[in-house]
C-alpha cells in the first residue's frame, strides 16, 4: 500500500515536499519513485530511488530542482521540489516494484504497485 500526501497549490518558484508512506516495501532489489501525469499527457517518471544501491534517478526536466530520498525507519519516500514551474503541474503518484533494468527505471509501465496520488498545481 502506498499513500501520498503533501500536494497543493504554489506559485512558480516555490517549493513543496511530497511524502509517500509505503507498507510491505522490499528493500532488497526494489525501486520506489514518483511519477506524474498532467491533463492530456502521458504519465512520466519524475524521480526514482532504488535499494539497496540507494541510487536516485531523475527525469531530465527536474534534475537540479527535485530531490528524492527514502527514510527506511519511517517507510516513507520523500520528494523535495524546489523552484517549481508551471509545467510541473500534475497528479503525482508513488509507485514501486522489483527493480527494473537501469534504462527502464523511469518508465511507468515497469511498475505494478501504485498509490492514489496527490495533486500539485503551480501557477
Amino acid at each position: 500500500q502506498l499513500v501520498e500526501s503533501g500536494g497543493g497549490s504554489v506559485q512558480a518558484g516555490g517549493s513543496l515536499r511530497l511524502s509517500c508512506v509505503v507498507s510491505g516495501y522490499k528493500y532488497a532489489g526494489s525501486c520506489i519513485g514518483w511519477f506524474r501525469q498532467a491533463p492530456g499527457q502521458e504519465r512520466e517518471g519524475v524521480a526514482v530511488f532504488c535499494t539497496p544501491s540507494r541510487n536516485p534517478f531523475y527525469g531530465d526536466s527536474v534534475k537540479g530542482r527535485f530531490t528524492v530520498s527514502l527514510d527506511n525507519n519511517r517507510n516513507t519516500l520523500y520528494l523535495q521540489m524546489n523552484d517549481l514551474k508551471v509545467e510541473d503541474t500534475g497528479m503525482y503518484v508513488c509507485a514501486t516494484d522489483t527493480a527494473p533494468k537501469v534504462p527502464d527505471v523511469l518508465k511507468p509501465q515497469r511498475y505494478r504497485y501504485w498509490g492514489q496520488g496527490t495533486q500539485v498545481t503551480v501557477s
Side-chain angles (χ1 to χ4, degrees):
Q1 184 178 10
L2 301 101
V3 181
E4 303 94 334
S5 62
S9 297
V10 64
Q11 291 188 339
S15 299
L16 283 174
R17 189 176 81 155
L18 306 183
S19 300
C20 172
V21 179
V22 56
S23 58
Y25 179 71
K26 297 180 180 179
Y27 186 81
S30 296
C31 292
I32 182 169
W34 292 96
F35 299 79
R36 69 185 180 192
Q37 187 166 19
Q41 297 187 15
E42 294 185 354
R43 185 173 286 179
E44 64 171 339
V46 176
V48 172
F49 195 92
C50 295
T51 57
S53 65
R54 303 189 73 82
N55 287 336
F57 298 84
Y58 296 98
D60 289 340
S61 63
V62 305
K63 286 179 180 177
R65 300 188 297 121
F66 291 11
T67 302
V68 64
S69 60
L70 178 66
D71 185 330
N72 293 342
N73 293 330
R74 297 182 178 180
N75 293 324
T76 302
L77 182 76
Y78 298 102
L79 183 67
Q80 178 65 44
M81 305 187 295
N82 297 328
D83 190 24
L84 282 160
K85 304 178 185 299
V86 173
E87 50 265 39
D88 294 319
T89 294
M91 179 67 73
Y92 283 70
V93 190
C94 185
T96 187
D97 209 325
T98 302
K101 296 179 181 179
V102 169
D104 295 341
V105 165
L106 289 169
K107 294 182 179 180
Q109 59 266 37
R110 293 292 181 258
Y111 295 82
R112 292 173 292 173
Y113 309 106
W114 294 82
Q116 295 298 311
T118 184
Q119 178 68 33
V120 172
T121 302
V122 185
S123 60

